Amino acid sequence: TQLLEQSPQFLSIQEGENLTVYCNSSSVFSSLQWYRQEPGEGPVLLVTVVTGGEVKKLKRLTFQFGDARKDSSLHITAAQPGDTGLYLCADMDSNYQLIWGAGTKLIIKP
Amino acid sequence: NAGVTQTPKFQVLKTGQSMTLQCAQDMNHEYMSWYRQDPGMGLRLIHYSVGAGITDQGEVPNGYNVSRSTTEDFPLRLLSAAPSQTSVYFCASSLGVDQPQHFGDGTRLSIL
């Protein structure tokens, strides 16, 4: 059974700082998805990465997929309070079901 | 822009009571699913449906029933609530089984 481990579990930083959060898998990723979940809401898809070494950018967010397709990172530049939320990674298994990490809870203090 | 609508948003039950969590989507999505989210754990799939009349079990189906009589609706039934079912429940839908999922805002359920 595939396990996704996200680190750190919790991160609190000041506005304007940079940060990186990680998602590591016990087996090769199939189709890795990153979501952001704000308090009281459901997860919202940010990006899907499939190819080893792939880098995708979404404004101040940079998503990187490891060459071996067992790790991924999300880097936020100049964090803003609006970036606060729970960041989740998920991979699709062979039955097209999503396997989820427990998430990184991010707080950006103004 | 309704998307995926879940009702109720909050519910408190006593052990042994039954209830139905409602989920409706207006995007004509074939695939719908139910997850539960517990602190420190990833979302876990309870049941899913690939189309009207078709349902299947996910990772944690015990204690829950579902049905899919229409494309739009996918209710989740708790047959006899237990404290272990205290959780936040999310419904999601997508065009197909391998397509990005759209989530509702969740139902926060407490079982006393």
Side-chain angles (χ1 to χ4, degrees):
Chain A
T1 303
Q2 182 184 19
L3 295 175
L4 299 186
E5 183 175 349
Q6 292 190 244
S7 61
Q9 290 184 327
F10 180 78
L11 185 59
S12 178
I13 63 172
Q14 293 294 137
E15 180 177 2
E17 295 183 357
N18 301 330
L19 66 105
T20 303
V21 299
Y22 301 91
C23 176
N24 294 309
S25 174
S26 58
S27 57
V28 173
F29 288 128
S30 167
S31 172
L32 183 68
Q33 302 175 19
W34 281 96
Y35 291 79
R36 178 169 62 214
Q37 183 179 18
E38 299 187 17
E41 299 183 5
V44 175
L45 180 67
L46 296 174
V47 74
T48 301
V49 286
V50 177
T51 305
E54 187 174 7
V55 177
K56 286 192 173 181
K57 293 191 175 183
L58 187 65
K59 298 183 180 178
R60 293 176 293 99
L61 278 60
T62 301
F63 302 85
Q64 192 151 3
F65 204 23
D67 290 339
R69 294 174 57 208
K70 294 184 69 176
D71 60 277
S72 181
S73 64
L74 160 58
H75 182 80
I76 301 179
T77 303
Q80 298 178 0
D83 296 325
T84 292
L86 179 67
Y87 287 80
L88 297 159
C89 64
D91 190 30
M92 190 166 289
D93 70 11
S94 57
N95 295 317
Y96 298 103
Q97 295 182 13
L98 286 176
I99 307 298
W100 295 80
T104 293
K105 186 174 183 179
L106 176 63
I107 294 177
I108 310 301
K109 295 176 286 188
Chain B
N1 274 3
V4 179
T5 302
Q6 291 186 238
T7 56
K9 293 190 184 299
F10 302 93
Q11 185 71 48
V12 178
L13 293 178
K14 293 181 179 179
T15 297
Q17 287 185 316
S18 63
M19 81 159 294
T20 300
L21 279 61
Q22 301 292 343
C23 176
Q25 53 91 8
D26 61 358
M27 298 174 283
N28 202 31
H29 285 172
E30 290 295 326
Y31 184 83
M32 296 186 74
S33 56
W34 277 102
Y35 294 89
R36 59 179 289 173
Q37 185 176 35
D38 300 296
M41 303 182 70
L43 277 74
R44 291 183 290 169
L45 183 65
I46 304 171
H47 285 286
Y48 64 97
S49 168
V50 298
I54 306 169
T55 63
D56 208 344
Q57 296 180 352
E59 179 186 357
V60 288
N62 292 341
Y64 308 95
N65 274 357
V66 292
S67 60
R68 184 95 179 270
S69 57
T70 67
T71 299
E72 295 78 19
D73 299 298
F74 191 43
L76 178 72
R77 298 183 188 84
L78 278 69
L79 308 174
S80 177
S84 61
Q85 293 179 304
T86 292
S87 188
V88 183
Y89 291 85
F90 287 99
C91 178
S93 73
S94 60
L95 279 170
V97 67
D98 60 344
Q99 298 300 307
Q101 295 192 29
H102 301 258
F103 285 80
D105 285 341
T107 293
R108 285 141 189 85
L109 182 62
S110 293
I111 316 295
L112 304 178

